[in-house]
Amino acid sequence: MRAIYTFLIGLFLSLTTISFSQNFNLEWEKNSNTGGLDFYSDVIQDSNNGYTVVGAKMVKSRSLDIWILRFNTDGDTIWTKTLGTANKDIPKNIIQLTDKNYIVTASAQKENQELLFLTKLDESGTTVWQQFVETSEYLSANDIVQLNEESFALIGAKGTNPENTKQWMAAFNLSGEMIWEKVFNDNLNGCLKSIKKLPDEGFAMAGNIGEPGKNDCDICVLRTNNKGDLLWSSRVKSPGIKMWPECICCSPDSCFMVVGWQGNCLNDINSADPVFDYDMVLNKIDCKGKILWTKKFDREGSEGGNALTIRPNGNFIVAGIKATSFLGKIGPWLLYVDANGNELGEKLLPFNFNNDQITKVINCSDGGFLVIGPGIQDATNTRSNGWIMKFAEL
């Protein structure tokens, strides 16, 4: 009798999970279908409740241009815009300012040097200005946010070279001129990956830090005021494990949720060729920087988290990838979790090509949510399609 009872309980839970998965109701999807290499890296819901996407597409052998697409609420294309330099351009992020103009960030090459490249466009996609951020040091931007009516901020990494960077934040006016910059945890190597503006006009940021010379890193969460002055910095320590965040999200309970990747080394982490098994990792940090809990999501192979958003009911959608699997379950991955990180359901999207994953998830004004992929691709890939999917309210 106990065996039968256990079986029935298991069957009920299985059916519950299957039923929930069906609640990920796809309303529409669009694929770029350029026939070559292209990808989407960031998306926003714009001032007209449609969606603006930034990505890149191949224009000649191993050369990428920035590609901006604007869709209406039904996924129909309103306009597209291609811009960039004469060399390879890798777009990162896009925001729409309160005046409805866009700012796009990218990395681009100038005189064989990789530099931060900024573009401002108006609401119709016409270029207002574009310029390099000139510096003698390596500089990379990973996220962007509007500071106020007159400025925006970038976060990322700055250093003597790409292997020796510090966590970096800078403010720019709407003409693209730097107003101020900050470097955090300057005794450690690291970078900042994600930033969110808070109700008090300050900011929460997530990044990674590590000891110089060691093949290891930890997740770090920072809190600043509206001028970038550091209020506190918290570190999720993980000795012998590589752990880094991709996105930070704010909770109604004044806590922060951070999603990313956790790599358990299968040999010597400081060897010339360490081998990692990756899991998606989710962290909750309170408003004063105390780490409340850390949870990892481990399936048959390697997994990772790239984005998350809080739903109106206080639950979270977490998005990323199932990168490898012994059972063949590979592809862009959605998890639905409650405020304590307990799983409520999941959805595996179709896998189209190598490294296909969800790079961004956003809430929509109609109660649904939207995801894009496959994220930044290597220019040596022969084929990759940007895609966008709109889901109904859960």
Side-chain angles (χ1 to χ4, degrees):
M1 177 64 74
R2 182 182 297 272
I4 295 175
Y5 177 78
T6 303
F7 169 77
L8 291 175
I9 290 295
L11 179 61
F12 171 77
L13 293 174
S14 175
L15 290 175
T16 300
T17 301
I18 293 171
S19 175
F20 181 84
S21 296
Q22 293 174 345
N23 289 334
F24 284 93
N25 295 319
L26 182 65
E27 293 187 330
W28 53 260
E29 66 177 306
K30 302 290 180 178
N31 292 278
S32 58
N33 293 323
T34 61
L37 171 65
D38 64 77
F39 58 82
Y40 298 159
S41 56
D42 197 11
V43 61
I44 58 171
Q45 183 162 32
D46 57 44
S47 58
N48 293 316
N49 291 326
Y51 309 98
T52 306
V53 174
V54 65
K57 65 178 178 178
M58 186 77 72
V59 290
K60 59 184 178 180
S61 179
R62 296 192 178 184
S63 181
L64 293 167
D65 270 359
I66 300 166
W67 193 24
I68 302 167
L69 307 91
R70 187 172 170 192
F71 301 93
N72 65 17
T73 55
D74 296 319
D76 301 318
T77 303
I78 299 175
W79 53 256
T80 68
K81 173 80 173 183
T82 303
L83 55 90
T85 68
N87 299 304
K88 182 176 70 173
D89 305 312
I90 305 297
K92 297 287 188 68
N93 299 103
I94 185 170
I95 60 168
Q96 188 173 34
L97 305 171
T98 51
D99 62 7
K100 298 187 179 181
N101 289 323
Y102 297 99
I103 301 291
V104 175
T105 68
S107 65
Q109 292 180 333
K110 180 182 180 182
E111 299 175 354
N112 296 321
Q113 183 182 5
E114 184 177 315
L115 296 175
L116 176 58
F117 184 63
L118 303 177
T119 301
K120 184 177 182 180
L121 305 97
D122 66 19
E123 191 179 12
S124 63
T126 302
T127 301
V128 178
W129 52 254
Q130 50 186 349
Q131 61 194 45
F132 289 96
V133 179
E134 302 285 354
T135 176
S136 60
E137 294 185 282
Y138 170 82
L139 194 64
S140 175
N142 294 319
D143 205 358
I144 183 172
V145 68
Q146 185 165 5
L147 283 174
N148 50 48
E149 296 289 335
E150 301 176 347
S151 61
F152 60 92
L154 302 178
I155 62 164
K158 182 178 183 180
T160 55
N161 60 68
E163 305 301 323
N164 181 28
T165 62
K166 309 299 178 184
Q167 296 176 332
W168 172 79
M169 179 185 188
F172 295 77
N173 63 26
L174 299 190
S175 297
E177 300 168 327
M178 188 183 296
I179 304 170
W180 52 257
E181 64 177 336
K182 306 279 185 178
V183 173
F184 307 104
N185 293 306
D186 57 1
N187 61 323
L188 300 168
N189 288 345
C191 74
L192 294 174
K193 298 286 290 183
S194 178
I195 182 171
K196 290 294 185 294
K197 190 174 183 179
L198 303 176
D200 67 355
E201 303 297 318
F203 299 93
M205 296 175 283
N208 68 278
I209 52 176
E211 308 295 333
K214 291 187 177 181
N215 187 13
D216 197 358
C217 57
D218 298 329
I219 286 177
C220 178
V221 176
L222 295 81
R223 177 78 162 83
T224 72
N225 62 18
N226 62 348
K227 297 180 180 179
D229 300 319
L230 186 65
L231 302 179
W232 53 256
S233 176
S234 183
R235 183 174 181 176
V236 183
K237 293 185 178 181
S238 53
I241 298 174
K242 289 178 71 72
M243 184 185 291
W244 70 92
E246 293 292 344
C247 186
I248 187 170
C249 186
C250 309
S251 304
D253 58 1
S254 299
C255 292
F256 307 110
M257 297 282 271
V258 180
V259 69
W261 297 61
Q262 174 179 306
N264 294 290
C265 191
L266 304 180
N267 56 352
D268 181 2
I269 194 171
N270 292 312
S271 67
D273 188 24
V275 178
F276 290 94
D277 171 35
Y278 291 105
D279 298 319
M280 179 187 288
V281 62
L282 191 64
N283 299 273
K284 189 168 185 178
I285 297 98
D286 74 10
C287 61
K288 296 184 178 180
K290 181 181 178 181
I291 301 162
L292 300 178
W293 49 256
T294 296
K295 295 187 178 183
K296 69 175 184 178
F297 300 89
D298 185 11
R299 298 299 194 259
E300 303 92 13
S302 287
E303 305 80 30
N306 296 328
L308 79 162
T309 188
I310 186 169
R311 301 293 292 159
N313 62 4
N315 295 329
F316 291 83
I317 295 176
V318 188
I321 181 176
K322 283 188 177 181
T324 61
S325 172
F326 301 113
L327 301 180
K329 297 178 181 178
I330 303 170
W333 189 30
L334 285 166
L335 273 180
Y336 190 44
V337 304
D338 66 19
N340 295 312
N342 300 310
E343 293 186 46
L344 303 175
E346 65 178 304
K347 176 75 172 179
L348 189 66
L349 303 181
F351 180 72
N352 296 304
F353 35 75
N354 186 42
N355 202 32
D356 189 14
Q357 54 190 296
I358 299 171
T359 188
K360 191 72 176 287
V361 54
I362 62 171
N363 289 321
C364 303
S365 57
D366 64 359
F369 65 95
L370 182 139
V371 296
I372 62 165
I376 296 172
Q377 301 290 301
D378 193 295
T380 59
N381 289 352
T382 58
R383 178 67 183 267
S384 173
N385 288 330
W387 52 264
I388 178 171
M389 295 184 183
K390 168 67 168 58
F391 289 86
E393 183 176 358
L394 288 172

